[in-house]
Amino acid sequence: MSSDIMLEKGEMFYEGKAKQLFATADPDLIIAYFKDDATAFNAKKRGSIEGKGAVNNRVSELFFTLLEKAGIRTHFVRRLSEREMLCRRLEIIPVEVVVRNIVAGGMAKRLGRVEGEILRRPVVEWYYKSDALDDPLINDDHAEVFGWATAEELAVLRDLAHKINRVLRDFLDPRSIVLVDAKFEFGRHKGEILLGDEICPDTCRFWDKATGEKLDKDRFRRDLGKVEEAYHEILERVSR
Ligand code: TMP
């Protein structure tokens, strides 16, 4: 079979808030299609950000390539088109991994801290991936006892989160972008843990280093305006 036939989009087996996932003839590979749909607060707020899918596909391609070069294994195979990415199929670990360098968003609210407080060291948090429960914050014991991830896997995830955070920060700093926080998802593939999902202004907080201006999905979440502009600004800076 030619590789082109292998890469035809098969059945859509999953539709999330920002992406659709399609099977291919190769059981190890899937195609992710990046939508313009935007949601916030577990889809209580809905909208669309024009061109977001194309920007997130490109930005994710760039970050995955950067991370692979730094020795971090990811699900990324290659970008297929403006909105499509070929990825390895993962058994998703239902633990969302958030790493924070600066207090913002959920942490500010939950712990009564001022947004913008610089953390003495990066903080890693786990959230249980469940739309029905609004992705609650969990600890290691919850993940282990309920079988979401083993203690060994959590140790690997923590290590990877710190390493990815360092690589991204080092890359973004000269581009005048501060990485405030980021959310990563991982999955199992042939006995390995790979970084999955996407890395983009939907899943990270990016602040301009000089002005503190928000260049991420908070512009949509908080109705700050200039949403499309922020996504394009990030693409422009990371493409340099
Ligand atoms: P939070 O401060 O709202 O918990 O968000 C922390 C980081 O995780 C931030 O960079 C945005 C990202 N994030 C997602 O990718 N998906 C989500 O559903 C939420 C709530 C946050």
Side-chain angles (χ1 to χ4, degrees):
M1 213 185 300
S2 88
S3 58
D4 278 358
I5 291 168
M6 297 283 281
L7 288 181
E8 262 174 38
K9 280 209 297 243
E11 179 205 356
M12 181 172 81
F13 63 92
Y14 178 82
E15 176 154 25
K17 288 179 284 238
K19 290 189 298 299
Q20 296 170 331
L21 303 184
F22 295 88
T24 68
D26 183 334
D28 287 333
L29 296 175
I30 63 139
I31 294 171
Y33 177 90
F34 288 72
K35 303 188 283 184
D36 282 352
D37 298 356
T39 63
F41 316 114
N42 198 19
K44 284 175 201 71
K45 178 185 173 94
R46 286 175 180 279
S48 168
I49 301 172
E50 202 189 320
K52 174 171 88 77
V55 169
N56 286 356
N57 191 17
R58 279 222 177 252
V59 170
S60 293
E61 171 192 23
L62 233 135
F63 284 141
F64 283 134
T65 305
L66 173 78
L67 291 165
E68 288 276 358
K69 278 192 194 132
I72 290 152
R73 300 274 292 136
T74 79
H75 72 156
F76 175 74
V77 179
R78 63 191 161 88
R79 193 168 57 79
L80 296 173
S81 68
E82 198 181 34
R83 286 168 184 275
E84 290 167 322
M85 179 184 283
L86 184 66
C87 302
R88 296 177 186 89
R89 188 190 278 267
L90 301 180
E91 180 200 334
I92 284 287
I93 297 172
V95 175
E96 299 192 356
V97 181
V98 168
V99 61
R100 300 181 188 269
N101 300 300
I102 296 176
V103 174
M107 178 181 247
K109 203 165 166 193
R110 186 176 307 110
L111 302 180
R113 309 300 300 194
V114 176
E115 187 158 276
E117 177 183 352
I118 296 169
L119 296 166
R120 204 155 48 73
R121 60 171 182 81
V123 169
V124 172
E125 299 172 335
W126 315 130
Y127 292 83
Y128 176 45
K129 188 174 164 63
S130 163
D131 282 344
L133 300 174
D134 277 357
D135 299 347
L137 181 71
I138 58 167
N139 68 18
D140 289 57
D141 279 358
H142 297 130
E144 288 172 47
V145 160
F146 296 119
W148 300 324
T150 66
E152 293 72 30
E153 286 176 329
L154 292 174
V156 172
L157 297 190
R158 176 179 298 280
D159 220 57
L160 284 171
H162 282 296
K163 192 166 179 200
I164 295 164
N165 183 44
R166 280 196 298 272
V167 172
L168 295 180
R169 284 175 68 169
D170 288 349
F171 175 80
L172 292 168
D173 182 70
R175 289 161 180 85
S176 209
I177 301 168
V178 177
L179 181 66
V180 173
D181 52 36
K183 187 264 293 179
F184 308 124
E185 296 189 27
F186 297 89
R188 309 175 184 102
H189 178 88
K190 299 183 174 176
E192 253 191 307
I193 290 182
L194 306 186
L195 175 64
D197 197 43
E198 57 186 313
I199 304 179
C200 62
D202 277 12
T203 63
C204 300
R205 283 196 175 89
F206 298 125
W207 291 355
D208 179 78
K209 196 159 103 180
T211 65
E213 190 188 3
K214 297 183 197 315
L215 298 171
D216 55 57
K217 196 175 164 190
D218 271 347
R219 301 206 71 84
F220 168 80
R221 294 188 189 100
R222 303 180 189 189
D223 296 319
L224 300 176
K226 292 193 183 163
V227 183
E228 282 84 3
E229 288 88 339
Y231 279 73
H232 281 100
E233 178 67 25
I234 289 295
L235 174 59
E236 199 274 313
R237 290 197 202 181
V238 301
S239 303
R240 277 179 205 163

